[in-house]
């Protein structure tokens, strides 16, 4: 009986979780002309491709998606690399006050991002980083490091100390130990941190509308926000169709990472 109740609860929760996605699909493929203004629970027309074409052209989603792909890949890779170095030092190297270093780095996740907007805006305006791709990459790397450090540091704490001690006895330097032992053993944690940060950067809107204005610089969420702004009259189906297209890269990277974890488990087995 407990197993039946558990499975029933899981199915109900899964169905509840799927409701927003279902509404997105149904209303995104409804043509603008037949949309009544209230969410539909079943489609009465098919206008998905015309909605996607309208969203793509009106919001100029192509360059914005290329920008977000560049920001997400570059900043996530840079953040994971820097966080790996910090995690290696904080968890494996004989540094003093490890707890202090951990909290100094991890404290970046404890404050709401809104508190950084004014100083960031002023600093970017004074240094020429405002409305530049380099400025966007820098801020995305900065906000991605704390959580990636948290994941990688906790993983590094589980590595067997005997392996590290044996490598040190054989004369391996800390740099050699990092690249030859720590990185190969931490690949799964590094990929997990990369996926989390990729999705976070891809879905960012706050910094995208604060630190960028040009269409060739702004990320995808800032471009998508233009479709539902005060001066937009494209209709919800076009916005939802654009959101459906924008969400595809995150779905793809989730499936690719899943294949990586499955293959890693098979190799370890």
């Amino acid at each position: 009986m407990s197993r039946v109740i558990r499975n029933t609860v899981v199915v109900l929760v899964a169905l509840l979780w799927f409701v927003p996605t279902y509404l997105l699909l149904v209303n995104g493929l409804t043509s603008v002309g037949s949309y009544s203004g209230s969410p539909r629970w079943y489609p009465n027309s098919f206008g998905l491709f015309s909605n996607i074409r309208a969203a793509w052209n009106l919001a100029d989603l192509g360059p914005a998606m290329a920008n977000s792909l560049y920001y997400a890949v570059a900043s996530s890779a840079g953040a994971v690399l820097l966080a790996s170095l910090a995690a290696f030092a904080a968890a494996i190297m004989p540094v003093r006050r490890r707890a202090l270093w951990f909290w100094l780095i991890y404290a970046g996740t404890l404050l709401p991002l809104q508190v950084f907007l004014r100083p960031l805006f002023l600093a970017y305006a004074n240094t020429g980083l405002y409305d530049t791709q380099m400025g966007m990459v820098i801020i995305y790397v900065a906000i991605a490091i704390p959580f990636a450090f948290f994941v990688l540091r906790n993983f590094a704490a589980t590595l067997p100390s005997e392996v590290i001690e044996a490598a040190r006895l054989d004369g391996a330097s800390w740099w050699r130990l990092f690249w030859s032992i720590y990185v190969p053993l931490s690949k799964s944690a590094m990929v997990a941190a990369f996926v989390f940060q990729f999705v976070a950067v891809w879905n960012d809107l706050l910094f995208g509308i604060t630190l960028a204005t040009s269409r060739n610089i702004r990320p995808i969420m800032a471009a998508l926000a233009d479709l539902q702004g005060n001066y937009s009259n494209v209709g919800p189906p076009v916005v939802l169709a654009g959101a459906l297209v924008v969400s595809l890269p995150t779905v793809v990277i989730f499936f690719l990472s899943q294949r990586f974890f499955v293959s890693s488990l098979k190799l370890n087995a």
Side-chain angles (χ1 to χ4, degrees):
M1 181 60 68
S2 62
R3 188 174 183 180
V4 172
I5 294 174
R6 182 188 61 190
N7 293 339
T8 304
V9 171
V10 169
V11 170
L12 291 176
V13 171
L15 290 175
L16 240 131
W17 188 267
F18 183 70
V19 167
T21 306
Y22 173 78
L23 289 174
L24 170 66
L25 292 172
V26 170
N27 291 274
L29 60 85
T30 302
S31 62
V32 177
S34 62
Y35 189 76
S36 61
S38 58
R40 302 193 63 88
W41 287 91
Y42 57 90
N44 63 344
S45 60
F46 186 81
L48 178 63
F49 297 123
S50 61
N51 293 339
I52 291 176
R53 185 165 52 251
W56 189 273
N57 295 330
L58 293 173
D60 205 9
L61 295 183
M65 289 187 71
N67 289 335
S68 280
L69 185 63
Y70 169 63
Y71 299 151
V73 173
S75 60
S76 300
V80 169
L81 176 60
L82 294 175
S84 299
L85 292 168
F88 178 78
I92 295 177
M93 294 181 66
V95 297
R96 300 176 61 185
R97 299 182 177 87
R98 292 183 177 182
L100 175 62
W101 287 111
F102 169 78
W103 284 109
L104 280 177
I105 299 175
Y106 184 66
T109 63
L110 303 180
L111 296 174
L113 296 178
Q114 288 81 356
V115 303
F116 304 118
L117 290 184
R118 177 176 171 78
L120 271 175
F121 179 83
L122 296 176
Y124 270 47
N126 293 329
T127 57
L129 290 174
Y130 183 77
D131 201 25
T132 62
Q133 289 185 330
M134 179 59 66
M136 299 302 295
V137 171
I138 289 175
I139 185 57
Y140 285 141
V141 169
I143 64 174
I145 285 177
F147 182 77
F149 169 75
F150 174 78
V151 173
L152 294 169
R153 182 259 184 189
N154 288 345
F155 183 83
T158 64
L159 297 178
S161 59
E162 293 80 6
V163 176
I164 309 300
E165 293 172 358
R168 292 293 293 169
L169 288 175
D170 289 340
S173 63
W174 289 113
W175 190 250
R176 177 66 181 275
L177 199 151
F178 173 79
W179 286 110
S180 300
I181 296 178
Y182 175 78
V183 171
L185 291 177
S186 305
K187 279 184 179 179
S188 58
M190 294 173 72
V191 171
F194 178 87
V195 171
F196 277 118
Q197 301 310 323
F198 182 96
V199 175
V201 172
W202 185 271
N203 292 331
D204 172 71
L205 175 62
L206 182 65
F207 294 110
I209 62 177
T210 305
L211 303 178
T213 56
S214 303
R215 286 203 164 196
N216 61 332
I217 301 296
R218 65 182 183 178
I220 186 61
M221 290 302 163
L224 189 62
D226 281 352
L227 287 176
Q228 51 186 352
N230 294 331
Y231 302 101
S232 177
N233 58 355
V234 296
V238 175
V239 178
L240 294 175
L244 184 62
V245 173
V246 166
S247 64
L248 291 179
T250 57
V251 176
V252 170
I253 195 170
F254 269 120
F255 278 108
L256 291 178
S257 62
Q258 184 183 29
R259 292 175 61 87
F260 172 81
F261 289 128
V262 171
S263 59
S264 297
L265 289 175
K266 289 181 179 179
L267 289 175
N268 292 334

